[in-house]
Amino acid sequence: MDARNSTDRGTYAVIGAGPSGLAAARNLQRAGIPWTGYELASGVGGLWDIDGPRSTVYESAHLISSKRTTEFAEHPMGDDVADYPSHRELLAYFRDFAARFELTAGFRFETEVVAAAPHPDGGWTVTVEQAGRRSEHRHAGVLVANGTLSEPSVPAFAGEFDGEVLHTSAYKSPTVLAGKRVLIVGAGNSGCDIAVDAVHHAASVDLSVRRGYYFVPKYLFGKPADTLNQGKPLPPRIKQAVDTRVLRMFTGDPTRFGFPKPDYRIYESHPIVNTLVLHHLGHGDLRVRPDVERLDGDGVAFRDGTRSPYDVVVLATGYHLHYPFLDPSLLRWSGRGSAPDLYLNIFTQADPDLFVLGMIEASGIGWQGRYEQAELVAGYLRARRDNPAAARALEQRVAGPRPDLSGGYHYLGLERMSYYVNKDAYRSAVRAEIEGLA
Ligand SMILES: Cc1cc2nc3c(=O)[nH]c(=O)nc-3n(C[C@H](O)[C@H](O)[C@H](O)COP(=O)(O)OP(=O)(O)OC[C@H]3O[C@@H](n4cnc5c(N)ncnc54)[C@H](O)[C@@H]3O)c2cc1C
């Protein structure tokens, strides 16, 4: 340890300066609660800073949700910003947000949190590493906002592959695919984006899928698709029936292009917002292949008994939740071990001063949904001082059964769905708690 250890027991530590960490800092500031931020990268912006050490955006990355359903309500994007801005515009947006509310100076950059643990005398000890030197800092508590999309989930395939295997977390530019025979495994949002990139550079592009998907175009009736049907949510069965019909009218039937028929209803898994992938399938630039059976020397064997040669396999197989600086027992990982079991995906039962922000996956939750998580944490900390009865009532709910945040949808039992919520159900539950603490 070096001499710059600090004791600041009234100050909360914020880990990460992405959208969730900025929302944490801003809400603590609004509630008059002192904080210090720690961020591994050299500036704010989280994964939207393509140069950040844990960023998983690529050169062609743009918002998948549109700007109006994604932005922080107190900091709208200008009318001159595109509906679906690029990662560069989004980095500028977060820098601007941090500058406007004077948050930037509250973060220590190029500083990695390597351990955070409750101190036996109360409060927390946060151990950080900066330029190879470790130091310990005492804090009142910890708000963890280290992101959910940086620790690659890599499937263990049978067999060996002679070519290059690349996870999407390491993919930045399609130049690495130039002239190559490419197989992309997984057709989630990143997989589809990279497939669309690849068709302009690669010798051939195949997309291996396990199941069928629902493809939502970025524009419907001339407007960003996610700006339609805002307001009072329709009951799940009606919304599923209406939206399935609308998609059939706009994008047709993806099985025509070789995709399997989805064995689930729309919104029971995360929808794919991409129509270019269907466009390129229709132009013969891309082929859909079945699930991988095994890697096979200079190629890949598929579950239907076919085999094709490839130079590169891109694993668009998603990410694991990852909190390496915390003792796992603090987070009570759920039965299948894929996500911590937290009240409203935020509050732990282990410690009233440990909070997780941004551990949320939902269609259309946006950064405002993440901002409201931070607003709730700041409201709770303020209530411990100003309205202890309300704070205690929330603590009892944290210790009790988990509310249903599915909005009535039956989500698929996949790892990436283990912390999935319905945005309307979730935001109403969080807002109700915020109001209860006021
Ligand atoms: C290609 C792509 C497209 C996306 N499109 C959308 C979209 O359209 N709409 C949407 O709402 N979301 C989208 N997302 C999801 C994205 O995760 C969120 O928009 C948002 O970035 C989440 O913010 P966050 O602050 O929780 O996490 P991140 O943005 O991941 O930020 C986490 C920060 O924590 C830092 N950090 C991590 N570990 C440590 C440590 N130990 N010590 C210190 N600092 C640490 C990281 O350096 C990083 O800066 C997309 C993601 C990708 C990859």
Side-chain angles (χ1 to χ4, degrees):
M1 297 295 159
D2 77 17
R4 289 170 301 154
N5 295 345
S6 71
T7 298
D8 196 352
R9 295 179 61 175
T11 298
Y12 280 81
V14 174
I15 304 176
S20 301
L22 290 174
R26 170 68 181 138
N27 279 288
L28 292 173
Q29 176 197 59
R30 286 175 67 214
I33 297 164
W35 61 276
T36 296
Y38 299 102
E39 167 56 59
L40 185 55
S42 59
V44 303
L47 61 69
W48 298 103
D49 175 2
I50 194 168
D51 297 320
R54 293 186 71 78
S55 172
T56 48
V57 293
Y58 27 86
E59 279 174 8
S60 62
H62 288 71
L63 263 191
I64 292 164
S65 48
S66 71
K67 67 175 180 183
R68 292 286 173 245
T69 61
T70 312
E71 64 199 4
F72 291 135
E74 67 172 347
H75 193 64
M77 293 189 206
D79 289 336
D80 55 331
V81 174
D83 291 333
Y84 295 99
S86 74
H87 61 89
R88 284 176 214 86
E89 283 179 284
L90 298 174
L91 177 59
Y93 170 81
F94 290 116
R95 285 183 175 157
D96 196 42
F97 177 83
R100 173 177 164 196
F101 296 112
E102 300 181 355
L103 304 174
T104 317
F107 282 93
R108 295 184 185 188
F109 295 107
E110 296 176 346
T111 304
E112 179 175 11
V113 171
V114 292
H119 192 279
D121 298 339
W124 278 66
T125 305
V126 173
T127 309
V128 304
E129 196 168 291
Q130 189 184 28
R133 301 177 76 184
R134 283 198 173 195
S135 55
E136 281 186 355
H137 305 269
R138 287 291 295 280
H139 287 286
V142 175
L143 284 73
V144 175
N146 65 329
T148 58
L149 303 180
S150 60
E151 189 64 19
S153 168
V154 177
F157 290 121
E160 302 277 329
F161 183 58
D162 302 339
E164 193 187 348
V165 179
L166 183 73
H167 187 273
T168 50
S169 56
Y171 173 85
K172 292 292 167 200
S173 153
T175 51
V176 296
L177 308 176
K180 305 207 167 137
R181 296 164 299 178
V182 177
L183 174 69
I184 297 166
V185 179
N189 281 306
S190 290
C192 287
D193 274 356
I194 293 170
V196 171
D197 268 3
V199 296
H200 301 291
H201 296 81
S204 66
V205 190
D206 285 0
L207 188 58
S208 159
V209 298
R210 246 184 212 173
R211 62 178 59 80
Y213 294 88
Y214 292 91
F215 291 91
V216 179
K218 281 200 155 170
Y219 287 92
L220 280 172
F221 306 105
K223 297 207 168 118
D226 62 355
T227 60
L228 305 170
N229 193 14
Q230 293 287 311
K232 196 171 170 357
L234 293 171
R237 282 299 165 96
I238 296 179
K239 181 157 174 63
Q240 286 170 317
V242 171
D243 288 8
T244 304
R245 185 161 299 184
V246 171
L247 287 194
R248 212 169 281 145
M249 277 160 47
F250 273 83
T251 56
D253 179 3
T255 63
R256 278 192 62 233
F257 299 113
F259 281 104
K261 190 171 158 40
D263 54 0
Y264 58 94
R265 290 168 196 270
I266 188 168
Y267 304 127
E268 291 177 352
S269 182
H270 201 54
I272 309 306
V273 184
N274 190 314
T275 29
L276 288 175
V277 84
L278 299 180
H279 169 94
H280 286 297
L281 283 160
H283 287 67
D285 302 332
L286 257 176
R287 273 190 315 173
V288 176
R289 308 301 303 268
D291 198 8
V292 171
E293 170 78 31
R294 63 177 195 288
L295 306 179
D296 192 30
D298 66 351
V300 170
F302 297 97
R303 284 271 151 92
D304 64 352
T306 58
R307 183 194 182 282
S308 295
Y310 296 105
D311 303 305
V312 185
V313 173
V314 180
L315 300 176
T317 44
Y319 296 91
H320 292 305
L321 293 177
H322 189 57
Y323 304 103
F325 43 81
L326 287 175
D327 180 334
S329 67
L330 291 165
L331 295 180
R332 224 170 69 149
W333 289 74
S334 69
R336 280 181 295 124
S338 40
D341 172 27
L342 307 178
Y343 180 67
L344 295 179
N345 294 27
I346 302 171
F347 295 88
T348 70
Q349 288 191 345
D351 192 295
D353 285 307
L354 171 62
F355 309 95
V356 179
L357 298 174
M359 194 202 84
I360 185 169
E361 191 67 65
S363 181
I365 195 84
W367 301 319
Q368 185 59 21
R370 292 160 173 116
Y371 183 100
E372 288 161 9
Q373 294 187 308
E375 194 177 347
L376 173 55
V377 171
Y380 163 69
L381 293 175
R382 196 180 39 205
R384 288 213 315 225
R385 188 185 63 205
D386 301 341
N387 189 353
R392 270 197 305 278
L394 170 57
E395 285 159 9
Q396 275 163 11
R397 287 190 288 282
V398 171
R402 302 283 171 258
D404 178 8
L405 302 171
S406 70
Y409 292 90
H410 302 288
Y411 297 131
L412 295 186
L414 307 172
E415 173 175 348
R416 70 188 160 83
M417 302 300 289
S418 57
Y419 55 106
Y420 204 87
V421 296
N422 171 262
K423 75 159 195 299
D424 299 307
Y426 185 79
R427 288 184 68 182
S428 335
V430 169
R431 275 199 296 263
E433 290 288 10
I434 293 171
E435 281 159 24
L437 291 165

